[in-house]
Amino acid sequence: MTEQRALTTATLAVLGDLRTITSDLQATTEELRKGQEELRATTLDLRKGQEELRRGQEELRATTEELRAGQEELRAEMRAGHAELREEITSVKRSVGNLERSMGRAEGDIAELKAGHIELRNMVASLIK
């Protein structure tokens, strides 16, 4: 009977150890499940972040393309404006040249008028004497 008691005590001790081990295993399993859930949540967040980055990248590409197109439009407008300015400057230079020639002719005419006036005055003066 002592053997049976010793065997029962030993069995109870082993069962207690098994319960402790089982409890530890359950706790560890629960911790692993929680860790797994956290990993799933983190993975999901990372996927969402990755998708947002992709969308941002696509938006950035589209914006870059719009900017390039705008730059090209501005360059074309600037070239056209530059060409127009050159034509305007050429036209103004021609007009200045024409005006200078006209002024030269007018100055010549004025000089002739003055000379004629002096001659006329001299003629009138000689008639009065």
Side-chain angles (χ1 to χ4, degrees), residues 1-12:
M1 205 114 4
T2 22
E3 275 184 33
Q4 193 173 1
R5 269 193 197 159
L7 186 61
T8 302
T9 303
T11 303
L12 289 175

Side-chain angles (χ1 to χ4, degrees), residues 34-52:
K34 285 180 186 176
Q36 194 175 26
E37 286 301 315
E38 288 173 5
L39 283 173
R40 282 185 185 139
T42 301
T43 301
L44 184 62
D45 288 345
L46 287 172
R47 284 184 182 150
K48 286 178 184 176
Q50 194 176 25
E51 186 58 35
E52 287 176 18

Side-chain angles (χ1 to χ4, degrees), residues 103-118:
M103 289 292 290
R105 277 188 240 129
E107 286 172 355
D109 291 346
I110 290 172
E112 284 180 25
L113 282 172
K114 281 182 181 178
H117 177 66
I118 291 170

